[in-house]
Amino acid sequence: MPDSAVIPPVAAKIPLRRLHHGDAVIDDYEWLRDKDYPEVIAHLTAENAYTEARNAHLEPLRQAIFDEIKSRTKETDLSVPVREGGWWYYSRSFEGKQYGASCRAPIAAADDWTPPSLADVAADEPALPGEQVLFDSNVEAAGSDFFSLGSFDVSEDDRLLLYGVDVEGDERYTLRIRDLATGKDLRDEIPGTAAGAFFTPDSRHVVYLTVDDAWRPDTMWRHEVGTPADQDAEVFTEPDERFWLDVGLTRSKRYLVVSAGSKITSEEWLIDAADPASEPHLVWPREDGVEYELTHAVVKGEDRLLILHNKGALNFELVDVPADNPQAEPRVILRHDPAVRLEGISAFRDRIVVEYRRDGLSRLGIIELDADSGYGELREIAFDEPLYAVHADSNPEWAQPTIRLGFGSMVTPSTVYDYSPTTGALTLLKQQPVLDYDPAHYEQRREWATAGDGTRIPISLVYRRDLVVPGTPAALELYGYGAYESSTDPYFSVPRLSLLDRGVVFAIAHVRGGGELGRQWYEDGKLLAKKNTFTDFIACVRHLVDAGWTAPDRLVAEGGSAGGLLMGAVANLAPELFAGILAGVPFVDALTSILDPDLPLSVVEWDEWGDPLHDPAAYAYMKSYSPYENVRPGVKYPPILAVTSLNDTRVLYVEPAKWVVRLHELGQDAELKIEMVAGHGGVSGRYNAWKERAFELAWLLDRLRLAD
C-alpha cells in the first residue's frame, strides 16, 4: 500500500471572492489557474513528486503490466489497405518505435477492389510492391516530447501531401504541404489551425478552420497552394459562440459541406466543390432545437440530399430533398421509430449505409439504390455475439462494390470486414493480433440495475471464466461516462487483460446522459436532469454488490473528462461504496468553468449543462453537484487518483489540481498526476501511453489489494 509517511504538498490560500445571483463564494485555490506563474508550476511539480513517492512500491508491478501489454502486442504490424483512387493506403507500426508510418502502393488494376493480403514483413522491407512511405511520424516527431497529427490528406492528383502537426497538446495544428515526388515541403505554412483540413478536388486549394480565443472552430478559410497564408480567403465565420464550425467533402466529391452546430441546433451550407470560390448556399435555416446532417446521393439520376434530422422526431428520421431546392417538401425514407436511434448515414453510388442503435447496441444497415424504384428496404447486417460494437470503417470511394466495417466486443479484438451487399457475405480481412490470448477463457454478459425512479440501467461485464464465479464477490472495476449522448459500447482492450487475468471483473455502467438507449436516454441525463447520471452509477454499484459480483471494499471506479465529473460526484454522494476512484482529466470544477464565458469551450457547453451565468436555477443546480464545491468535511473518502495534462484545452488542469488540494486540506487520500507536455488525450507515443496505463492499472490493483 502507499507510503503513509509521505506528506502531501500544501498549497497557499489566496482567497478570491465570486458573486453570482446573490451567492458569494470564496475560492482559496483559483490562483492555480495561471500556469505562467512559477509558484503554480512549483506546486504541480510537488504534486507529481508526492504521487510518485507514494506509489514507488508499485514500480515492479508497473513494469510487469507494461511488459504484459507489450508482449501481447504485435509491434511490427500493418493495417488493412484502403483503396482510394489508384492506390492502396495503409499504416505500419515498427517494433521499438513510438509512432506509425503512413504508406501507399499502386493498385494492380482498375477493377481491383480486394485488399492485398499482407504477410509478415520485416520493418525495413516494403509491405507491397511499389510501396511509398508518405509520412513517418517517428522521423517527424524527433526532438518533440509530444506529437499529434490533426490533418492528413493526399491531393486528388496524387502529387501533394497535406499534414497538420501539434507538438504541445493544445490541439492547434501547423499545416504544411509536401511534394511527394521530392519529399520536400513547400513554402506553405499555416499555424494555429483546427484538425481536419483537406484538399479540394481540383488539388489547387486547401480548406481549413481556425479557432477563436475560446478554442472554438469559428472560421473557414480557403488557401491556394503556393501562396502566402496571409492571402487566404475567409469563406465563412460563425459569430454565435454556442456554435462550432465543421467542413467536409461529400463522398461523391460534388459538394463541400459547411456545418455550424451547437449542442442542440445545427445549420448547413453547400459549396460547389468544382468551384470552391463560389458562394455557400443554405440548406435548412437553423431552428432552435433542430439538428440535422446531410450527404449527397444520386437517386434515379437526380442529385438529392439525404438529411438525418430530429424535427418532430426525437430519435431522428431520414428524408431526402432535391439538391437544387433543399427547402422543398422532404420525402421520408426512414420514419421515426421510438425504439431506434438513427445516428449516421453514408451515401455511395449504388447504396446507402445507415448506422443506428437499438436495444442498447450499435447496428449497421444497407439500403440499395434502384434505377427504377429509387430506395430499397433497409437490410440489417447481423452478428451473433450478445454484446458488440459495429461501425462503418474507412470507405472513401463513391463506386466501391463492398462496405468496409469495424467490429469488436469485450472478448473479440478489433476486427475489419468487407461486406458484400450483393451476396450478404462478410469477408474477414484482419483481426487485431493479440498474442497469448484465447477468447474462450473470457465471458461477457449484460446485467440490469434499477434506478430509484424505476429506470433500468444496462451494465456490460467481462471476466475470466476460470477466475470468477458469478455470485461470488470478486474484485471489480466499474467504468462510466454518461454525457454528450456519447455511447460507451462494449469494446476490447489489451491493457484490460492485465486486470482480467488477475481475477478482476471489468464492467461498464451505461448511465443516462450517454446515448446507448436513444435520444431520451441522453435528455434524461443533462441540464436539470444531470444528477440521474450520478445516481444511475450508484444504482449500478449497489446492483453489482447485491447480485454478488463484488463488495464495496473490492470495487474501484474509473471515468474520464465528463466521466471524471461523474467520479467526483459519486465520491461525494456515496464514498463508502468504493475502494478507490481513478479520475482522468476530470471536469470536477464544472461550475467555475461554465461561469466564465472567456474560458475555452464554456459557452458552447451551456446547452449541455445549463447557463449558470444568466440562469439562477442552473447556477443552483450545478453548485449542488459540482465536485469541487461539494467535498464533504468529516467524511472518509476512498483513495483518489486524478490524472491530467498541463496543456489540456478541453478540461483545464486547474480543475483536478484544485480538487486534490481541497481533498488534501480535509485530510483525504488523494493524488494528482500531471503530464507537463500533453493534452486532453494524455501523452503521445504508444510506449508512453502503455507506461501511463500501467501506472493507472497498478494503482487500481493496489486499491483492490491485488498488487502482490
Side-chain angles (χ1 to χ4, degrees), residues 394-452:
S394 182
N395 291 285
E397 284 292 293
W398 175 243
Q400 63 188 61
T402 57
I403 302 298
R404 182 72 53 86
L405 60 90
F407 175 87
S409 74
M410 300 179 88
V411 298
T412 301
S414 178
T415 305
V416 179
Y417 291 102
D418 265 355
Y419 174 76
S420 170
T422 56
T423 67
L426 279 171
T427 300
L428 174 64
L429 300 177
K430 185 182 179 73
Q431 187 170 89
Q432 175 191 1
V434 182
L435 309 180
D436 193 26
Y437 171 72
D438 183 351
H441 293 163
Y442 303 84
E443 177 81 15
Q444 62 174 348
R445 63 190 294 174
R446 175 151 285 178
E447 295 269 328
W448 293 84
T450 302

Side-chain angles (χ1 to χ4, degrees), residues 94-151:
F94 310 99
E95 183 176 357
K97 294 188 176 182
Q98 293 274 17
Y99 304 99
S102 297
C103 307
R104 70 178 180 180
I107 63 172
D111 61 352
D112 180 13
W113 291 98
T114 302
S117 177
L118 299 181
D120 289 346
V121 294
D124 59 351
E125 296 178 352
L128 290 175
E131 177 178 273
Q132 296 180 9
V133 177
L134 301 176
F135 194 88
D136 186 339
S137 291
N138 298 288
V139 175
E140 305 294 337
S144 299
D145 293 328
F146 181 90
F147 184 84
S148 176
L149 271 177
S151 297

Side-chain angles (χ1 to χ4, degrees), residues 595-612:
L595 277 169
D596 188 346
D598 294 326
L599 287 179
L601 311 183
S602 287
V603 174
V604 299
E605 296 287 341
W606 286 349
D607 288 329
E608 177 78 19
W609 309 98
D611 175 6

Side-chain angles (χ1 to χ4, degrees), residues 54-273:
R54 292 203 77 215
N55 292 279
H57 66 293
L58 295 176
E59 173 54 32
L61 178 58
R62 295 201 294 263
Q63 185 62 49
I65 294 172
F66 175 85
D67 291 341
E68 290 164 13
I69 297 170
K70 188 171 183 288
S71 69
R72 291 183 173 117
T73 302
K74 187 178 180 182
E75 295 179 74
T76 299
D77 201 8
L78 309 99
S79 68
V80 178
V82 174
R83 178 172 164 176
E84 187 166 5
W87 300 84
W88 292 110
Y89 287 86
Y90 53 98
S91 61
R92 301 187 62 176
S93 60
F94 310 99
E95 183 176 357
K97 294 188 176 182
Q98 293 274 17
Y99 304 99
S102 297
C103 307
R104 70 178 180 180
I107 63 172
D111 61 352
D112 180 13
W113 291 98
T114 302
S117 177
L118 299 181
D120 289 346
V121 294
D124 59 351
E125 296 178 352
L128 290 175
E131 177 178 273
Q132 296 180 9
V133 177
L134 301 176
F135 194 88
D136 186 339
S137 291
N138 298 288
V139 175
E140 305 294 337
S144 299
D145 293 328
F146 181 90
F147 184 84
S148 176
L149 271 177
S151 297
F152 191 87
D153 191 36
V154 176
S155 62
E156 189 76 9
D157 62 11
D158 296 322
R159 297 187 309 107
L160 301 174
L161 170 67
L162 172 72
Y163 66 97
V165 168
D166 166 23
V167 294
E168 300 291 338
D170 60 5
E171 299 182 61
R172 291 194 178 187
Y173 302 88
T174 297
L175 287 178
R176 296 182 177 89
I177 299 173
R178 181 163 296 173
D179 185 325
L180 291 175
T182 66
K184 303 295 184 182
D185 286 348
L186 307 184
R187 293 183 178 180
D188 309 55
E189 183 174 303
I190 309 171
T193 71
F198 60 92
F199 285 108
T200 55
D202 62 10
S203 302
R204 294 177 49 230
H205 298 91
V206 170
V207 173
Y208 66 95
L209 300 172
T210 54
V211 299
D212 63 11
D213 291 339
W215 256 255
R216 175 183 68 99
D218 70 329
T219 304
M220 172 186 169
W221 301 84
R222 185 181 66 255
H223 169 77
E224 185 174 354
V225 176
T227 64
D230 59 11
Q231 296 180 14
D232 291 355
E234 182 178 326
V235 178
F236 194 94
T237 297
E238 173 53 58
D240 192 324
E241 293 180 314
R242 298 175 303 153
F243 285 75
W244 280 38
L245 272 192
D246 194 13
V247 61
L249 180 66
T250 59
R251 184 174 284 102
S252 64
K253 299 181 181 175
R254 177 72 177 83
Y255 298 106
L256 299 175
V257 181
V258 185
S259 306
S262 72
K263 300 294 183 184
I264 61 171
T265 305
S266 55
E267 184 175 60
E268 301 200 344
W269 297 261
L270 297 180
I271 298 174
D272 185 349

Side-chain angles (χ1 to χ4, degrees), residues 189-526:
E189 183 174 303
I190 309 171
T193 71
F198 60 92
F199 285 108
T200 55
D202 62 10
S203 302
R204 294 177 49 230
H205 298 91
V206 170
V207 173
Y208 66 95
L209 300 172
T210 54
V211 299
D212 63 11
D213 291 339
W215 256 255
R216 175 183 68 99
D218 70 329
T219 304
M220 172 186 169
W221 301 84
R222 185 181 66 255
H223 169 77
E224 185 174 354
V225 176
T227 64
D230 59 11
Q231 296 180 14
D232 291 355
E234 182 178 326
V235 178
F236 194 94
T237 297
E238 173 53 58
D240 192 324
E241 293 180 314
R242 298 175 303 153
F243 285 75
W244 280 38
L245 272 192
D246 194 13
V247 61
L249 180 66
T250 59
R251 184 174 284 102
S252 64
K253 299 181 181 175
R254 177 72 177 83
Y255 298 106
L256 299 175
V257 181
V258 185
S259 306
S262 72
K263 300 294 183 184
I264 61 171
T265 305
S266 55
E267 184 175 60
E268 301 200 344
W269 297 261
L270 297 180
I271 298 174
D272 185 349
D275 183 11
S278 61
E279 290 296 316
H281 64 269
L282 179 64
V283 178
W284 288 357
R286 69 184 66 180
E287 182 178 342
D288 194 47
V290 174
E291 301 166 64
Y292 71 91
E293 63 176 86
L294 66 83
T295 192
H296 168 242
V298 178
V299 184
K300 298 171 63 175
E302 181 186 355
D303 286 324
R304 308 287 293 186
L305 299 180
L306 295 169
I307 301 179
L308 201 61
H309 74 92
N310 70 339
K311 185 173 184 178
L314 182 67
N315 270 342
F316 289 71
E317 72 174 5
L318 178 61
V319 301
D320 83 343
V321 295
D324 59 0
N325 185 20
Q327 295 180 38
E329 184 69 22
R331 173 174 58 181
V332 177
I333 309 303
L334 291 175
R335 294 192 178 279
H336 174 259
D337 184 338
V340 177
R341 168 66 161 96
L342 300 179
E343 293 191 319
I345 47 170
S346 300
F348 299 83
R349 184 189 65 187
D350 301 321
R351 59 192 54 88
I352 301 165
V353 176
V354 185
E355 297 185 77
Y356 52 101
R357 184 171 294 279
R358 186 182 69 249
D359 299 329
L361 295 177
S362 54
R363 317 275 176 166
L364 272 183
I366 309 292
I367 297 175
E368 293 293 327
L369 297 176
D370 185 89
D372 298 320
S373 59
Y375 298 100
E377 295 295 317
L378 178 70
R379 184 173 73 253
E380 183 169 302
I381 304 173
F383 300 93
D384 58 7
E385 293 197 42
L387 300 177
Y388 65 86
V390 64
H391 65 276
D393 208 32
S394 182
N395 291 285
E397 284 292 293
W398 175 243
Q400 63 188 61
T402 57
I403 302 298
R404 182 72 53 86
L405 60 90
F407 175 87
S409 74
M410 300 179 88
V411 298
T412 301
S414 178
T415 305
V416 179
Y417 291 102
D418 265 355
Y419 174 76
S420 170
T422 56
T423 67
L426 279 171
T427 300
L428 174 64
L429 300 177
K430 185 182 179 73
Q431 187 170 89
Q432 175 191 1
V434 182
L435 309 180
D436 193 26
Y437 171 72
D438 183 351
H441 293 163
Y442 303 84
E443 177 81 15
Q444 62 174 348
R445 63 190 294 174
R446 175 151 285 178
E447 295 269 328
W448 293 84
T450 302
D453 61 2
T455 301
R456 298 179 74 229
I457 315 298
I459 310 170
S460 299
L461 301 97
V462 63
Y463 54 91
R464 264 192 74 135
R465 298 173 188 265
D466 58 338
L467 298 179
V468 174
V469 178
T472 302
L476 185 145
E477 181 190 0
L478 184 61
Y479 179 88
Y481 187 74
Y484 302 111
E485 202 180 3
S486 177
S487 300
T488 308
D489 288 318
Y491 66 98
F492 186 84
S493 165
V494 169
R496 184 197 298 151
L497 295 174
S498 293
L499 295 180
L500 303 185
D501 288 354
R502 289 172 169 82
V504 179
V505 179
F506 178 81
I508 302 169
H510 303 285
V511 294
R512 281 176 284 187
E516 288 88 343
L517 294 176
R519 174 50 67 93
Q520 192 61 55
W521 197 251
Y522 166 52
E523 297 288 345
D524 290 342
K526 63 182 288 196

